[in-house]
Amino acid sequence: MSFGSIYFILIFLPIFLIVVRNVPIWAQKAVVILGGLLFYVLNAGVWGAAIPLTTAVNYLVHRHVSAIPPDGRDAAANESNRRKKNAWTAAVIAFDVMVLAAAKISGFMPLGISFFIFQMISLMADVKDEKLGLKDFCLASMFFPKLIMGPMVRYSDLKKPLLAAERQYMVRPDGLERGLKLYTAGLFMKVVLADNLATLWNAISIAGAYGLATPTAWLGAVGYSLELYLDFWGYSLMAVALGLMLGLPLPENFNEPYSAAGVGEFWRRWHVTLGTWFRDYVYVPLGGNRRGRLVTVRNLFVVWMLTGLWHGITVNYLIWATFLFVFIVLERYTPLGRLARARVIGNAYTAIVIVISWVIFAISDPTQLPVYLKCLFGVYSEGASPSLAQFYRLLRTYWYLIAAGIFFATPLPRRIYDRHSGKNWFILPLLVMLVLSTFFMLHNENNVFMYYAF
């Protein structure tokens, strides 16, 4: 039962919102936590216990850390207390990392464990000098709209809404209306566009890369790139929408990445909260770009290797991360950076590099990956006889989805939505999106979000 499930939309979500709105204000946080745990268990099954158990361990450590006396007049005691706080925080962060590593290595991956662990690490680092109650701690770590696939939220972003929830109802008409509109847009991207584009990549993957014509290889690569974007952006919009409905706003996770000029700029716009996490908790503590070129390159390398490992432990993720790292360094320190910043040429260059990178990301089979990459550039295996028949057949079937995906990858949809979503006539296109989404949800039960795997 995902955010794109008919059961979630027609049964779970309405009942959940009605219950939250009608319990006493003092009880609504607890209801949101319990409802979120129910949603998670329905999706994750028995392995989902890892997340509440990890939360319990972290909360107990937080209670201990927050009980260490604050700064006083004795400088020696202050330094000792500071070291104790840092030691306990470091210990529990090490525990969290071991939980994630064990999940990655064993293959028993609780749903969304990578997102959860990263957010737990930032929470423990950010609140070591504060004292959170159990309900606020659980909402900061396990608020279900962001639990499975982000956005990754800092406690500072949730602090004011959590305080406001002590005095007013979380589910309010203005947030409910804005959330429903945004949810409909995200749902449409996921179940109408992304899920149908997925069949293009599946068809090419099943056939295999051997003998794949170059136009067909590029068609599949572009289709996969758009599928991944619309799937993840659609989810992120739905998560933000649910946050609005429940009075706990979440940050935007995408900022028109395919309009970027340069690979570095693309990754500042794609999955913004993950990039911010690595910047604040890895790149800057290592020294950022303040200690010279060599150290900066080292820090970038560490960040990208960790980014690759965060996505998975198969070799293709490390190749993918290295590929992007190389282009980011070249853009920073060679004339390629000036080319990347030229809007038309830079946009085209960025799109080509990113599409190739997604092919590396998608193909975990070490025998198929080099074959596919060669096909992109017209280099075929010995004895292969590529034909354009498959390309024309797939293009006739998917051209309108590719066109729609490219349109949604431009800045136009966001501008149209921001300018007109408050107008009465905008209800009509939203209703059309909802009807189409419902139709495809009823005819496609296996519409799992791609990033659930992480």
Side-chain angles (χ1 to χ4, degrees), residues 36-273:
L37 282 174
L38 174 62
F39 168 80
Y40 186 75
V41 168
L42 289 173
N43 279 280
V46 65
W47 290 107
I51 282 182
L53 289 174
T54 304
T55 300
V57 171
N58 279 262
Y59 178 68
L60 290 174
V61 173
H62 170 70
R63 284 283 300 269
H64 177 74
V65 169
S66 63
I68 296 174
D71 292 348
R73 295 181 180 179
D74 188 336
N78 291 342
E79 179 62 19
S80 175
N81 289 341
R82 185 185 66 81
R83 288 180 178 177
K84 288 178 184 177
K85 283 176 179 277
N86 289 340
W88 276 101
T89 302
V92 78
I93 287 174
F95 166 78
D96 294 334
V97 171
M98 286 190 291
V99 170
L100 178 57
K104 293 277 187 183
I105 294 169
S106 68
F108 295 107
M109 291 276 289
L111 194 62
I113 187 69
S114 298
F115 288 90
F116 167 75
I117 290 296
F118 271 36
Q119 291 185 93
M120 183 61 78
I121 290 171
S122 69
L123 177 63
M124 294 303 295
D126 290 348
V127 301
K128 61 184 178 182
D129 294 321
E130 299 193 43
K131 185 175 183 179
L132 273 64
L134 178 60
K135 289 187 289 187
D136 283 355
F137 190 91
C138 288
L139 279 174
S141 60
M142 296 193 301
F143 184 47
F144 82 95
K146 70 178 180 67
L147 178 61
I148 297 173
M149 288 171 54
M152 294 181 178
V153 184
R154 303 284 291 267
Y155 174 69
S156 57
D157 295 325
L158 290 175
K159 188 173 182 178
K160 287 184 179 179
L162 287 171
L163 288 173
E166 301 285 352
R167 304 184 300 272
Q168 64 185 27
Y169 285 106
M170 295 173 69
V171 180
R172 300 169 65 83
D174 56 339
L176 191 61
E177 179 184 353
R178 291 165 57 209
L180 288 172
K181 289 178 179 178
L182 197 61
Y183 192 95
T184 301
L187 182 68
F188 176 82
M189 290 179 197
K190 161 61 181 168
V191 301
V192 177
L193 299 181
D195 285 353
N196 286 291
L197 276 169
T199 61
L200 167 60
W201 179 252
N202 290 342
I204 292 175
S205 299
I206 291 170
Y210 181 81
L212 199 64
T214 295
T216 312
W218 279 102
L219 182 67
V222 170
Y224 179 81
S225 302
L226 294 172
E227 174 203 353
L228 184 64
Y229 174 57
L230 293 166
D231 185 282
F232 199 9
W233 188 27
Y235 172 91
S236 295
L237 288 178
M238 284 187 267
V240 171
L242 290 168
L244 289 172
M245 294 181 202
L246 291 165
L248 295 177
L250 303 177
E252 289 279 353
N253 215 14
F254 288 85
N255 182 22
E256 301 167 6
Y258 282 103
S259 299
V263 176
E265 184 183 343
F266 178 92
W267 279 98
R268 288 191 293 274
R269 292 165 171 250
W270 175 284
H271 202 346
V272 175
T273 57

Side-chain angles (χ1 to χ4, degrees), residues 210 380-386:
Y210 181 81
Y380 302 114
S381 303
E382 185 178 350
S385 53

Side-chain angles (χ1 to χ4, degrees), residues 140-422:
S141 60
M142 296 193 301
F143 184 47
F144 82 95
K146 70 178 180 67
L147 178 61
I148 297 173
M149 288 171 54
M152 294 181 178
V153 184
R154 303 284 291 267
Y155 174 69
S156 57
D157 295 325
L158 290 175
K159 188 173 182 178
K160 287 184 179 179
L162 287 171
L163 288 173
E166 301 285 352
R167 304 184 300 272
Q168 64 185 27
Y169 285 106
M170 295 173 69
V171 180
R172 300 169 65 83
D174 56 339
L176 191 61
E177 179 184 353
R178 291 165 57 209
L180 288 172
K181 289 178 179 178
L182 197 61
Y183 192 95
T184 301
L187 182 68
F188 176 82
M189 290 179 197
K190 161 61 181 168
V191 301
V192 177
L193 299 181
D195 285 353
N196 286 291
L197 276 169
T199 61
L200 167 60
W201 179 252
N202 290 342
I204 292 175
S205 299
I206 291 170
Y210 181 81
L212 199 64
T214 295
T216 312
W218 279 102
L219 182 67
V222 170
Y224 179 81
S225 302
L226 294 172
E227 174 203 353
L228 184 64
Y229 174 57
L230 293 166
D231 185 282
F232 199 9
W233 188 27
Y235 172 91
S236 295
L237 288 178
M238 284 187 267
V240 171
L242 290 168
L244 289 172
M245 294 181 202
L246 291 165
L248 295 177
L250 303 177
E252 289 279 353
N253 215 14
F254 288 85
N255 182 22
E256 301 167 6
Y258 282 103
S259 299
V263 176
E265 184 183 343
F266 178 92
W267 279 98
R268 288 191 293 274
R269 292 165 171 250
W270 175 284
H271 202 346
V272 175
T273 57
L274 178 64
T276 302
W277 193 97
F278 274 112
R279 181 197 68 197
D280 293 346
Y281 296 103
V282 180
Y283 183 71
V284 171
L286 285 174
N289 59 0
R290 302 186 304 274
R291 298 180 183 174
R293 179 176 298 185
L294 194 60
V295 173
T296 299
V297 172
R298 181 206 66 183
N299 296 343
L300 287 170
F301 180 76
V302 170
V303 165
W304 277 101
M305 289 305 99
L306 291 175
T307 302
L309 290 171
W310 181 84
H311 283 89
I313 59 174
T314 53
V315 175
N316 66 303
Y317 291 120
L318 293 178
I319 298 173
W320 167 77
T322 303
F323 180 82
L324 293 168
F325 159 75
V326 168
F327 276 96
I328 288 170
V329 170
L330 290 174
E331 288 177 8
R332 185 182 284 256
Y333 296 116
T334 74
L336 184 62
R338 290 196 295 272
L339 174 68
R341 289 189 291 274
R343 275 294 159 188
V344 176
I345 298 175
N347 290 144
Y349 144 78
T350 304
I352 292 170
V353 172
I354 292 300
V355 167
I356 294 171
S357 77
W358 288 135
V359 171
I360 301 170
F361 183 89
I363 302 176
S364 59
D365 186 336
T367 63
Q368 287 288 309
L369 178 56
V371 176
Y372 199 107
L373 291 174
K374 289 178 182 178
C375 289
L376 287 173
F377 297 98
V379 180
Y380 302 114
S381 303
E382 185 178 350
S385 53
S387 168
L388 289 177
Q390 183 187 25
F391 169 73
Y392 291 127
R393 176 174 56 81
L394 292 173
L395 186 62
R396 284 195 300 270
T397 304
Y398 292 98
W399 69 268
Y400 65 96
L401 288 168
I402 295 288
I406 292 172
F407 170 74
F408 275 91
T410 70
L412 284 174
R414 183 191 293 268
R415 292 175 185 174
I416 292 170
Y417 185 91
D418 290 344
R419 183 175 298 179
H420 300 292
S421 61

